[in-house]
Amino acid sequence: MLENQSNQSNRGGKRPGAGRPSGSLDKGNALIREMVAQALNQVGGVDYLARVAESHPGPFLGLVGKVLPIQVTGEGGGAVEHSLQISFK
């Protein structure tokens, strides 16, 4: 009897377009981010963050590290281009 059973289920499975799009926030995270943004606006926004950066640089830099993009890309989404110019006088 166990020999007739399959390990595969005929239910569900990955379907095109199923689920939340990659990178999108669920409702709870989106709500919390909106609340944080509103609270930041109420205490002064950029001016408040500048005061915190001066008075508590360590925690502020931790925040900066969390909001920076993980992967940096160049213009148009391509590779980062750089150049070096050396001149002798």
Side-chain angles (χ1 to χ4, degrees):
M1 185 159 184
L2 291 175
E3 295 172 9
N4 294 336
Q5 293 180 351
S6 172
N7 288 337
Q8 295 179 351
S9 173
N10 292 332
R11 297 183 189 179
K14 190 167 184 175
R15 298 172 308 280
R20 192 169 60 237
S22 177
S24 67
L25 299 175
D26 62 8
K27 292 178 184 179
N29 285 340
L31 179 62
I32 290 171
R33 284 182 185 233
E34 180 62 29
M35 290 169 38
V36 169
Q38 287 177 4
L40 181 60
N41 284 334
Q42 288 180 0
V43 296
V46 174
D47 294 331
Y48 171 77
L49 288 176
R51 288 192 309 271
V52 170
E54 291 175 1
S55 63
H56 299 86
F60 179 77
L61 290 175
L63 174 66
V64 170
K66 290 190 181 290
V67 298
L68 285 178
I70 293 174
Q71 183 175 2
V72 179
T73 58
E75 190 173 325
V80 176
E81 296 179 16
H82 60 281
S83 64
L84 176 65
Q85 181 179 357
I86 300 175
S87 62
F88 298 98
K89 293 184 181 184

